[in-house]
Amino acid sequence: MAVFLKKEAELNIKKDKSYTRQQMISLIREASPEYSSGSCQWKLGELLKSGEIVKTGYNQYMISTGKNSPAYLPDYSKLAVTIMDQITEKYPYIAFTVFETVLMNEFLNHLVAQNTIFVQAEKDISSFVFRFLQEEGYGNVMLKPTKKVFDLYWAKDTIVVTDLVSEAPIQMSDPHKITMEKMLVDIYCDKLIRGTFSMAEYPSIVEQAFDKYRIDRTRMLRYARRRNREKEIAHVLNAGL
């Protein structure tokens, strides 16, 4: 099967066969011998970005069939699901997503023992969501707390309500469940979430996520740009993937 490099050259790789990064670079050089080593590295990055090539494991690449890796489906706690259902029933037409820190345990060496639930809602609605959750009897709900306030009043199963960043990547079929693209950016950018795990593990989280799930790199970096962290996150992606 041919993957197009440019009009005059094609990269011929076998469907359903995996290749190491170096093997992919060698195939690109064979197809376009005028490419420098740096150009071959860049072209592989472009093929990954376009989705023609996908990373299926550690140092393993394949041509995309649309079936190489599954989409991420977050495994929420019962509490998070209940909160999501209650907000949906009360405000059926608002945009919001739910993230909880225990979702990171799939990728962490040092597991998050005490959960925190983050509800990101439309900017003009987040205060109403906060009041609603208080009225529903949830004991520890915070509205856009500073890091100092969060650290001072945090308790197990604290609910934090913040504003949803515009143009956040969502899945249309289930818009309140977090996508992996959004999760990987948020855990890097959000100062409250960053404090719940060791940031030294972030590159490993990213690599494991790309190894296991189908992730749209372009979509992820577009959202990182909205959060003013595109260069930093792109550096992590380029270093590890």
Side-chain angles (χ1 to χ4, degrees):
M1 189 169 185
V3 176
F4 290 94
L5 291 171
K6 54 185 182 179
K7 290 182 180 179
E8 65 273 20
E10 292 180 352
L11 171 62
N12 290 303
I13 63 177
K14 294 181 180 179
K15 187 178 180 181
D16 298 327
K17 178 181 177 180
S18 63
Y19 298 83
T20 66
R21 184 180 185 88
Q22 190 53 51
Q23 287 171 331
M24 292 296 298
I25 294 297
S26 296
L27 287 168
I28 292 172
R29 187 179 292 278
E30 288 176 11
S32 295
E34 74 277 13
Y35 275 16
S36 66
S37 177
S39 295
C40 290
Q41 297 276 355
W42 173 83
K43 176 50 67 176
L44 178 57
E46 288 297 297
L47 292 170
L48 287 166
K49 184 184 296 185
S50 70
E52 289 186 80
I53 297 295
V54 294
K55 193 168 186 287
T56 58
Y58 179 73
N59 196 28
Q60 295 294 311
Y61 301 82
M62 294 179 67
I63 189 168
S64 176
T65 64
K67 301 178 182 179
N68 300 108
S69 299
Y72 175 67
L73 298 174
D75 185 16
Y76 287 107
S77 66
K78 290 182 179 179
L79 177 60
V81 171
T82 298
I83 291 170
M84 199 181 306
D85 290 345
Q86 288 177 322
I87 297 174
T88 301
E89 183 176 355
K90 177 68 174 180
Y91 302 105
Y93 303 113
I94 72 166
F96 75 91
T97 60
V98 173
F99 166 75
E100 56 182 344
T101 53
V102 292
L103 290 176
M104 294 187 292
N105 283 345
E106 182 177 353
F107 311 105
L108 293 174
N109 289 321
H110 301 91
L111 303 183
V112 175
Q114 307 294 339
N115 197 22
T116 308
I117 297 172
F118 291 83
V119 179
Q120 295 184 349
E122 292 178 42
K123 185 175 182 180
D124 296 334
I125 304 295
S126 57
S127 60
F128 293 97
V129 172
F130 166 71
R131 294 296 181 191
F132 168 69
L133 292 174
Q134 282 189 320
E135 292 167 0
E136 288 297 301
Y138 292 101
N140 198 16
V141 189
M142 301 185 194
L143 176 63
K144 295 183 276 190
T146 63
K147 182 68 165 60
K148 183 177 180 180
V149 169
F150 177 78
D151 291 342
L152 184 62
Y153 294 104
W154 179 89
K156 180 182 178 181
D157 293 330
T158 289
I159 303 168
V160 178
V161 181
T162 60
D163 293 337
L164 180 67
V165 177
S166 61
E167 300 180 31
I170 62 172
Q171 48 182 333
M172 299 306 295
S173 61
D174 224 337
H176 307 316
K177 294 182 178 180
I178 196 164
T179 62
M180 183 53 68
E181 292 89 352
K182 184 177 187 325
M183 176 176 162
L184 291 177
V185 173
D186 284 350
I187 66 175
Y188 184 91
C189 297
D190 191 294
K191 61 182 181 295
L192 302 183
I193 300 175
R194 285 172 65 108
T196 65
F197 74 105
S198 171
M199 283 301 294
E201 293 199 53
Y202 183 73
S204 175
I205 293 172
V206 172
E207 181 161 350
Q208 289 180 70
F210 271 82
D211 283 351
K212 191 170 183 179
Y213 297 110
R214 185 169 64 250
I215 299 174
D216 188 327
R217 181 187 178 113
T218 301
R219 192 183 187 204
M220 178 178 166
L221 288 175
R222 187 183 304 120
Y223 179 54
R225 188 182 313 134
R226 291 291 302 169
R227 303 212 60 165
N228 299 314
R229 291 292 186 274
E230 181 182 17
K231 289 184 179 179
E232 296 168 44
I233 292 178
H235 177 74
V236 175
L237 294 180
N238 293 334
L241 302 176

